Amino acid sequence: MVYHAAARGIEIEEVESSLEGDIDLHGFLELDKKVRKGYQGIRVNFKIKANVPDEQLQGIVQLGPNYSPVFDSLTNGVPVSVTAERL
């Protein structure tokens, strides 16, 4: 988001992000096989310090979903491999 804003001539002075999500522990703890183990929803909130109008600030925030590799991976899925090795 910061790099894309800079490429558009927008200087971002500071960014804070927070994430929260909804998860049903019945699935995680295998207490209910019908409940998924993962999150049912994730919310991201940004606090941005930039000298721009509110509508431009919202436009900056939308750069994340449009260009973020993390957002793309979470929303579209990606193959994951898990390995282990002895310590």
Side-chain angles (χ1 to χ4, degrees):
M1 179 175 59
V2 174
Y3 293 126
H4 282 278
R8 291 163 172 74
I10 300 166
E11 182 181 341
I12 295 178
E13 297 176 44
E14 189 175 341
V15 176
E16 289 181 26
S17 61
S18 61
L19 291 97
E20 58 182 37
D22 304 311
I23 190 166
D24 186 338
L25 295 180
H26 288 96
F28 172 72
L29 298 172
E30 292 190 335
L31 299 174
D32 186 343
K33 301 281 188 195
K34 293 179 248 162
V35 177
R36 69 176 292 185
K37 293 171 180 61
Y39 283 88
Q40 285 80 36
I42 298 172
R43 292 172 296 287
V44 180
N45 182 58
F46 290 105
K47 291 183 181 180
I48 302 171
K49 184 176 181 183
N51 190 16
V52 295
D54 285 345
E55 60 274 357
Q56 196 170 13
L57 187 67
Q58 292 305 317
I60 292 168
V61 171
Q62 289 310 307
L63 293 172
N66 290 334
Y67 297 103
S68 167
V70 174
F71 185 89
D72 178 78
S73 296
L74 286 172
T75 57
N76 294 311
V78 62
V80 177
S81 62
V82 178
T83 62
E85 57 186 71
R86 192 172 300 278
L87 293 174

